[in-house]
Amino acid sequence: MEPVICEKGTKGHPLTDEQKESNRQKSKTRCRVEHVFGFMEQTMGGLVFRGVGIIRAKANIALTNLVYNMCRLVQIRKYHAEWMVC
């Protein structure tokens, strides 16, 4: 496995250009994932499901993802209409 944790500079030892580029590549992937969970947490009331059974939990996750995708589609249509080519 390859570590995907951003490196941090310390006092007197700043990051090298290679480390900065490595951090930039890692954060590109990280921000795409974290924005999704942040949106679900802040806008959609969280990611906690209280219920009985794995089937209901899976259904809840599927519906949460569906609603997120619908919200994202509305945002894309509103701000990036040129991306919608049919």
Side-chain angles (χ1 to χ4, degrees):
M1 292 183 57
E2 186 177 328
V4 288
I5 299 172
C6 289
E7 299 178 57
K8 184 178 175 184
T10 58
K11 186 176 181 180
H13 296 285
L15 292 176
T16 64
D17 290 336
E18 293 171 353
Q19 289 174 318
K20 289 178 185 178
E21 183 60 33
S22 174
N23 283 352
R24 191 170 294 114
Q25 292 300 321
K26 292 171 188 174
S27 64
K28 283 182 182 179
T29 303
R30 183 176 174 179
C31 77
R32 292 297 301 158
V33 173
E34 289 188 4
H35 277 94
V36 173
F37 288 108
F39 181 85
M40 288 180 182
E41 189 74 30
Q42 295 294 318
T43 307
M44 299 173 65
L47 299 170
V48 176
F49 172 70
R50 290 178 175 239
V52 177
I54 193 73
I55 295 172
R56 288 184 181 148
K58 286 181 179 180
N60 183 285
I61 291 169
L63 290 174
T64 301
N65 291 335
L66 178 66
V67 171
Y68 169 77
N69 288 333
M70 289 176 166
C71 291
R72 187 71 181 120
L73 179 64
V74 169
Q75 288 176 343
I76 290 171
R77 282 190 174 169
K78 184 176 181 180
Y79 297 110
H80 301 286
E82 69 277 3
W83 291 359
M84 304 299 292
V85 178
C86 294

